[in-house]
Amino acid sequence: MNERNETLRRQLPDDEVIYELANLFKVFGDPTRAKILSCLQFGDLYVYEIAEILGMSVSAVSHQLRVLRGAKLVKGTKMGKEVRYALDDDHVTKIMEYGLTHINEDR
């Protein structure tokens, strides 16, 4: 292998990091989860509000929120008996914005 390629190889993230990155994008790859993330870009919402907006059942939304929470894309704050969901941090917003910008480039 030539020196340039060897240098590039050393700069690559290790396999575990690449695996985690691929799994993160798998989570974004589900249309329902993408819709939920889009809703949360506008502000914090309760599960029943997301369900109403998307025309889905509360249990279906709850299931997807568990996946999103597991991927550290959303966080929940207990408000009495209910949980109010928000995007976990600004990185999630940026990923969504960059993705939408990329998709809409040629439209």
Side-chain angles (χ1 to χ4, degrees):
M1 182 177 303
N2 68 37
E3 187 177 325
R4 178 179 174 267
N5 289 352
E6 186 60 39
T7 300
L8 289 173
R9 182 197 300 199
R10 284 193 303 272
Q11 292 175 351
L12 291 174
D14 65 35
D15 287 347
E16 183 179 332
V17 171
I18 292 293
Y19 179 79
E20 289 178 27
L21 179 64
N23 282 330
L24 174 68
F25 283 112
K26 282 182 190 176
V27 174
F28 277 100
D30 180 88
T32 299
R33 291 192 287 264
K35 287 179 186 178
I36 291 170
L37 292 170
S38 293
C39 287
L40 293 173
Q41 283 187 282
F42 296 101
D44 302 0
L45 294 166
Y46 292 104
V47 177
Y48 68 86
E49 292 175 312
I50 298 168
E52 184 178 324
I53 292 165
L54 298 180
M56 296 173 61
S57 70
V58 168
S59 70
V61 171
S62 292
H63 171 74
Q64 297 301 339
L65 284 167
R66 274 191 296 280
V67 174
L68 292 167
R69 223 176 32 233
K72 299 179 184 169
L73 296 174
V74 301
K75 59 185 173 188
T77 305
K78 192 131 174 131
M79 309 284 279
K81 293 182 178 181
E82 300 289 333
V83 178
R84 195 160 174 86
Y85 286 90
L87 296 178
D88 190 70
D89 60 28
D90 192 45
H91 297 120
V92 180
T93 301
K94 287 181 177 166
I95 292 168
M96 292 292 291
E97 287 174 356
Y98 289 146
L100 290 169
T101 299
H102 181 73
I103 289 166
N104 290 317
E105 276 180 334
D106 296 328
R107 290 185 180 196

